Every structure is written in structure tokens, then in C-alpha cells.
Amino acid sequence: MDKYMKKQILLCLLGCLVAGVVRATEVPQVANVMARQITSLNGAWNYIVDVQEEGYYDYRMNPTRWGFFVNAKPQRPEDLIEYDFDKAPTMQVPGDWNTQDDRLFFYEGTVWYKRSFEWHRNGDHRTLLYFGAVNYEAHVYVNGKLAGHHVGGFTPFNYDVTDLLREGENFVILKVDNKRRAENVPTLIFDWWNYGGITRDVLLVDVEPVYIENYRLQLESLEGRRLSFSVRLNRPEAGQQVTLNIPELKLKKTVTTGPDGTATIFMKAKPQLWSPDNPKLYQVVIQRGTETLRDEVGFRTIEARGKQLLLNGKPIFLKGISIHEEKANGGGRANSTADAHTLLSWAKELGCNYVRLAHYPHNEYAVREAERMGIMVWSEIPVYWTIAWTDAGTYANAERQLTDMISRDQNRANVIIWSIANETPHSAQRDEFLSRLARHARSLDSTRLISIAMEVTSASNYKNRLQDNMSEYVDVVSFNQYIGWYRDVNDASKMEWEIPYDKPVIVSEMGGGAKYGLHGDKNQRWTEEFQENLYRENLAMLDKIDGLAGLSPWILKDFRSPRRVLNGIQDYYNRKGVFSDRGEKKKAFYVLQEWYRTK
Ligand code: GCB
């Protein structure tokens, strides 16, 4: 053994002693991940479908130390190992499993994923393993060791895996489980496809020991055009200098972090304001030593004044449409700028300046593409229907999803509303849960509006009155209503609305189903004419709502749902799209387009 090797071994032993057991740690989400030093682990991953979780539990249902995550290989000819990732088929990551393997179309359960990768130490740098989203529950293993466990299918998470990595070849294995459970968020029932798998990007992120974890750059107020910039390092380190540079504004400022590793600065500037008519974004460069992050940031204000919504101080009407994160043609989870662009172009053609990204945080590409296209966004977490209101773990899970959604998108000028729930049944426990969430959202971000999709499901004497204890916690009062579909047909013209709150009103859903190409009388359900008439009657009714500030009908495109079983019509699609699942326009599209022309 030469001297050099001896030294290496000694160092290694010392490292192990200091670190105790070698392990990974979950670290707060790194913001603006695409601007970092990244290596993509997207592509073909081997997978094993594990219906009974044989790769995790032994035959007495105890978690086994010899699970699939160790990636065992026979050492001798007589060795018994009943799985082999390298002989298993592959699927594309990111991507849902349901549309990549016919056998998995309806599957809800566990699938194991594995891929190998090369890694080389980069001085004292750290390596984070980042997932854009995994639906729903993920156990992540690196070289056979648990890196971490995550629940929640639509938000990013990352682990510092440096201490689990070795020079050269490494492997990462995931156990992904999308079984529905009562205490999950969303819970057992929800009206969309439970696409399972590693549905968003997987990246290795190379960071220095100290790095910029997140930052926030925004317009504080229109008066005096004050910008604020705050930055947070990954650890409480004082004296770090961070420079913000916005060349087009000739603005360059340096801040020094305090003992908690954060710094904030206010400055005067006169940026052009971001708006749907002029979605102006500025190139921004943030630097700390040798670390450089680039971003595109827009500046605007959004506020509610009485029943008015003001963008940059001027009243605005939100001409919207709701969207699920499903590919434009043929379905499957969407996860690319191109996917987003197609859907958002359809919304634009409809005349939209706004979209409701339902019912969970969509991928970052979609939010950014909407921002470039001048489309405002309502972003929400899947606190949907019958959540387990009294379960502490459920609350913690919802709060975590809310936190991660906000920390990912807090610099997006187009995101104007955080919504924390959809159509939840009233009760004291639900009020407690939702008011806590609303307060939490406000504590994280006081610059955007908070809403909840409430509901009105009946009216006495045709008088619809919105009544919800949560109204005092929101800035914008929103509700879903289905007159003409779940409620009486053809009585929209008789309906009156009373919304007893001095806040802007958004109708967050309305609509009805139609099968593209099915024609008939306007009273015949499932025909395009029925849906067209429903839109006509509803839009005329909405015009009479005092304080109506926006609308996001349900929905842009037919989307997959296991609850929609009517043969020959639904075939596991919710047919309320104004586009079919293949992107064909239904008649209702033109009614809505015409109405938006007048707004
Ligand atoms: C709703 C839900 C939405 C459903 C829709 C429907 O109120 O918010 O998720 O898909 O109704 O089609 O019933």
C-alpha cells in the first residue's frame, strides 16, 4: 500500500467516525433547479411491478433488510435471487407508468425503479438528488442505502446524497407506491386519473458546501416602484456576499448575509410591468462567489379592493379555463414545455388571460411557459373533497405540499392566486384545518391572493347564496357551480346569486359533458348542442353576478377519470372539456370564446 492510499483510507475512516453512519439527508428544495449545475437522470429506467410488495416486506410482513433496494446479484451458481433489475423492462422517466405498459393502465400499487449512473467527486462540492415529483409515495435508495422517504405526488424534493455516492458507477432505486389511502392528500376519491410513477425530472445537482437555496425578487409596491430581493443560503452562514444584477434595469446590488444565512434589500427601479398584454420578463443574474444563478423575472402587483381585482393597480377580469396536467393528445401525465405550450395555446385561442391549474401543483415548465405567454395562474394543492380533517399527519402533509408549491413558484409573476382546497364538506374540523392552511400560506407569501374553491349546490326559490365560514380567510371568494348539469337543466335564467362578502368573486368551475361529434337536440345529454346551450345559459346568468371578477369553466380538455364509466360516451374520460381528449373543438368552445371577446 503506498502512502497516498494509506492517507485516503485514514481520511475515509475518519470521515465515517465523524459522520457516524453514512447517510443522506433531506434538504429544503433548491429553487430554480434548471439554472444549477445539473446532470439529468431522465431516460430509460428498469422497473419491476411488485403487487404484494415482496421487495419490501418479508413473508411475515416485516420490512426486510434484503429488499429489492439492495439490488442483489447471484454470487454463486446456486444462489437464489428472484429478481433482477438488469433483466427487467424499461420505461421512460419522467412519465407515468399507466400509459407506458398496458398492464399498468388501472394499476395502483408499488413499482420499483432502478437506474445506474456515473458520478465523480467534485472537490468539496455536495450532490443533491432532486425529484420534480413522484406520485405518490417514494422510498429513495442510493447504492442500497435509504436516502429518504417522501409523500405527496406533485411537489419537488431533494436529498443530499454525497455520502452515499462512490467514484464511478452508482445506482439509484425507488419504491414508488400510488395506492390511495384515506389519510392521503388527495384522499381515497378524486375525479382524475391516479397516474403513478416518477412523473417529473430526476436530476443530480452539484452544489458548493454553501449555496443559495432560494431567493425572492419582486415588486413591493407600485408607488415609488420599490423592488425587494431576499436570499437564503442552505445554512446559517454570516458574511456571504450575494450580488443581484438586472442588466436591463442597470441595477446591481450586493447584500451580505446575516448570522441566519439570509439577507434582504429594497431598491428603487422602474421596470416595465408584467401583464397579459406585455409579459415582460427581465434577465436576472444572482451571484455568490463562484455560484451563478440565472432567472427571468417579471414585476407586477395583484390586489383585491372591495369586489375588484387589480393587476398593476387596474381592474382586470380573469378570462380563464381549468386545466388538468394531461398531455394534449392521448393523455398521460404532461411534463414538458412543449406539452404545456399546446394546452396553453388552446387556452389562448379561447381568449384566456388566466388558467386554473387544477387540482394540484403542475410542473414548473407549465407555470413558466404560462408566464412567458402572458397567462395568469391559479395554483392549488390537492386538498380535495373528503380529506381526513382530524389526522395530524394529513395536515402536516397538506402544509408541506403548500410550502413546497410556494417555494418553487414564488418568483413567478403570473401566479396570482394560491388556492388551498376544492369542494370540501363543511364541518368545524374542516374549518380548523383550512383556516390553519390559509394562515400558513399568508405567512409564507403576503404578496399573492388566497382562495378556496367553495361550492353552492342548492337554492331555495332560485336564490343561490354562498355561505362558507372560510370566506373570512380568503382574499377572493371562489365557488364551483353546475347548474344545468348536476343541478336542474335549463333553469339558469331563473337563478339569482347572492355573495354576501365584499371580495372579488371567481366562478372556479361550471360546465357539463359532451362527447365530441355526438349531435342532437339541446336537451339531449352528452351532445355538443346540450353543452353549447348549457354554456349559453350559464354565461348569461354569470353576467348578473355582482362583483364577478373571473371564471375558469370546467375544463379545457376531456381528461381521464376512473369515475367516468359510461360505456360509449365516457369510457373513463370526464367529458366536460371544450376540447375532446384529441384536441377537437366542441361547440361550447365558440360560445365561451365569444363571451370572452366581450370581456
Ligand atoms: C367538480 C370538481 C372536479 C370534477 C368536476 C366534475 O366540482 O372540482 O374535480 O371533475 O366537478 O366534472 O364533476
Side-chain angles (χ1 to χ4, degrees):
M1 204 182 301
D2 67 0
K3 247 169 92 185
Y4 174 73
M5 263 180 82
K6 267 191 199 152
K7 199 174 149 205
Q8 287 298 303
I9 289 170
L10 212 73
L11 273 177
C12 186
L13 282 175
L14 218 70
C16 289
L17 272 177
V18 173
V21 271
V22 176
R23 62 194 174 95
T25 35
E26 176 158 19
V27 294
Q29 182 196 144
V30 278
N32 191 9
V33 72
M34 296 312 282
R36 312 231 173 205
Q37 301 298 317
I38 50 176
T39 308
S40 170
L41 296 187
N42 292 343
W45 287 54
N46 295 97
Y47 71 98
I48 297 174
V49 181
D50 188 10
V51 177
Q52 295 198 0
E53 302 190 309
E54 208 248 322
Y56 191 77
Y57 297 106
D58 66 17
Y59 80 129
R60 297 294 183 242
M61 269 305 275
N62 297 311
T64 165
R65 289 168 59 203
W66 307 110
F68 289 180
F69 47 86
V70 301
N71 191 31
K73 301 283 173 199
Q75 303 299 313
R76 299 163 306 175
E78 64 268 34
D79 283 351
L80 174 66
I81 294 170
E82 293 182 275
Y83 70 97
D84 186 347
F85 277 105
D86 299 318
K87 294 205 174 93
T90 62
M91 73 165 95
Q92 285 300 310
V93 167
D96 60 83
W97 64 54
N98 314 73
T99 58
Q100 296 196 62
D101 179 339
D102 287 347
R103 297 172 307 166
L104 299 181
F105 185 65
F106 287 106
Y107 184 66
E108 294 181 307
T110 282
V111 174
W112 293 85
Y113 287 76
K114 184 228 161 201
R115 103 154 250 179
S116 303
F117 60 94
E118 282 271 315
W119 177 86
H120 298 283
R121 184 171 294 283
N122 181 9
D124 61 352
H125 286 206
R126 311 293 301 176
T127 298
L128 311 184
L129 176 57
Y130 173 98
F131 296 90
V134 177
N135 191 40
Y136 170 86
E137 181 176 354
H139 287 82
V140 179
Y141 304 87
V142 173
N143 294 330
K145 299 257 165 42
L146 183 69
H149 170 233
H150 183 263
V151 295
F154 301 98
T155 36
F157 55 100
N158 40 220
Y159 305 105
D160 181 338
V161 294
T162 321
D163 299 337
L164 298 182
L165 294 171
R166 52 197 183 214
E167 274 300 305
E169 174 109 345
N170 293 266
F171 63 90
V172 54
I173 287 178
L174 263 74
K175 172 184 183 292
V176 181
D177 182 2
N178 75 335
K179 277 192 288 298
R180 286 166 295 115
R181 294 178 210 274
E183 66 281 4
N184 285 359
V185 182
T187 178
L188 285 170
I189 50 167
F190 46 90
D191 189 21
W192 68 85
W193 207 261
N194 186 20
Y195 289 114
I198 308 176
T199 50
R200 295 188 190 154
D201 296 346
V202 185
L203 307 166
L204 292 174
V205 190
D206 176 276
V207 289
E208 296 178 25
V210 177
Y211 60 92
I212 296 169
E213 187 177 275
N214 209 336
Y215 54 88
R216 186 203 285 249
L217 174 61
Q218 65 195 23
L219 181 63
E220 282 291 306
S221 67
L222 284 179
E223 297 79 41
R225 297 274 161 107
R226 230 158 71 100
L227 305 188
S228 72
F229 173 66
S230 54
V231 59
R232 190 178 68 232
L233 305 177
N234 64 313
R235 61 189 204 204
E237 185 139 328
Q240 289 280 327
Q241 299 212 321
V242 180
T243 302
L244 166 74
N245 189 0
I246 312 177
E248 211 183 323
L249 291 177
K250 299 197 170 46
L251 201 149
K252 194 168 182 180
K253 297 272 177 202
T254 300
V255 291
T256 307
T257 58
D260 63 350
T262 73
T264 300
I265 187 174
F266 296 92
M267 59 221 129
K268 287 214 168 201
K270 276 214 162 100
Q272 283 180 50
L273 300 179
W274 184 97
S275 73
D277 295 334
N278 179 29
K280 172 71 189 165
L281 297 175
Y282 288 89
Q283 302 294 327
V284 168
V285 187
I286 298 163
Q287 243 158 341
R288 187 205 55 88
T290 50
E291 182 186 9
T292 303
L293 290 173
R294 288 170 201 283
D295 206 344
E296 295 188 315
V297 176
F299 300 99
R300 56 99 189 97
T301 59
I302 185 77
E303 47 191 318
R305 190 179 302 156
K307 284 190 178 268
Q308 273 187 334
L309 256 183
L310 306 178
L311 178 73
N312 299 327
K314 293 192 211 97
I316 185 139
F317 186 82
L318 304 178
K319 300 186 262 185
I321 191 82
S322 301
I323 303 184
H324 262 298
E325 190 178 58
E326 210 174 61
K327 282 183 198 289
N329 295 302
R333 267 277 168 262
N335 180 45
S336 69
T337 299
D339 289 340
H341 188 80
T342 307
L343 295 171
L344 295 167
S345 303
W346 294 355
K348 276 238 142 169
E349 199 184 337
L350 198 52
C352 294
N353 59 11
Y354 162 77
V355 290
R356 175 182 179 196
L357 299 182
H359 277 302
Y360 37 77
H362 287 212
N363 63 76
E364 192 170 348
Y365 298 115
V367 179
R368 285 182 179 267
E369 185 62 4
E371 187 177 49
R372 285 188 286 265
M373 292 171 74
I375 300 176
M376 293 174 280
V377 161
W378 153 310
S379 188
E380 70 188 87
I381 52 169
V383 174
Y384 181 98
W385 291 355
T386 59
I387 291 292
W389 305 114
T390 53
D391 187 307
T394 304
Y395 178 79
N397 179 353
E399 192 183 279
R400 165 94 199 255
Q401 295 193 43
L402 179 64
T403 306
D404 287 337
M405 168 175 80
I406 295 176
S407 71
R408 194 194 69 186
D409 292 340
Q410 61 180 353
N411 288 314
R412 302 283 71 79
N414 63 328
V415 177
I416 55 168
I417 296 171
W418 303 123
S419 177
I420 58 176
N422 180 77
E423 282 187 355
T424 50
H426 294 191
S427 74
Q429 292 84 351
R430 168 265 199 184
D431 287 359
E432 167 66 23
F433 189 109
L434 293 187
S435 56
R436 249 179 104 185
L437 271 187
R439 282 194 298 268
H440 181 70
R442 222 177 270 293
S443 74
L444 294 177
D445 183 0
S446 59
T447 70
R448 287 182 177 80
L449 306 172
I450 290 170
S451 200
I452 293 177
M454 302 170 185
E455 58 186 343
V456 178
T457 51
S458 67
S460 56
N461 298 326
Y462 298 110
K463 282 202 172 34
N464 295 270
R465 189 180 151 85
L466 179 69
Q467 199 111 48
D468 192 316
N469 295 336
M470 286 304 96
S471 299
E472 66 171 284
Y473 294 92
V474 297
D475 303 300
V476 178
V477 177
S478 310
F479 62 91
N480 303 344
Q481 67 82 15
Y482 280 92
I483 290 167
W485 190 256
Y486 297 123
R487 290 172 60 189
D488 302 330
V489 185
N490 282 339
D491 61 3
S493 60
K494 299 183 213 142
M495 292 292 185
E496 285 173 28
W497 286 86
E498 194 194 337
I499 292 120
Y501 309 105
D502 189 28
K503 297 184 178 182
V505 176
I506 294 180
V507 173
S508 33
E509 288 179 30
M510 56 148 265
K515 168 111 185 195
Y516 171 77
L518 185 68
H519 295 287
D521 189 75
K522 68 176 191 202
N523 294 324
Q524 192 189 334
R525 241 180 233 267
W526 305 113
T527 63
E528 286 193 43
E529 286 72 14
F530 186 100
Q531 190 193 35
E532 178 189 36
N533 184 53
L534 184 149
Y535 266 75
R536 271 215 183 94
E537 302 255 332
N538 267 270
L539 295 174
M541 177 190 77
L542 297 188
D543 266 330
K544 292 185 268 174
I545 294 185
D546 178 33
L548 186 73
L551 171 67
S552 50
W554 196 254
I555 186 170
L556 183 70
K557 174 188 89 72
D558 292 355
F559 61 98
R560 283 214 177 92
S561 168
R563 302 172 69 83
R564 307 296 173 173
V565 298
L566 181 61
N567 221 38
I569 298 281
Q570 293 178 312
D571 303 314
Y572 297 105
Y573 276 95
N574 182 316
R575 294 289 180 199
K576 294 189 188 70
V578 293
F579 284 86
S580 74
D581 56 296
R582 300 267 149 201
E584 296 124 334
K585 290 183 191 106
K586 304 181 196 171
K587 289 184 144 198
F589 171 94
Y590 300 100
V591 179
L592 184 57
Q593 188 186 47
E594 193 48 44
W595 195 70
Y596 281 153
R597 276 199 191 112
T598 67
K599 295 284 149 195

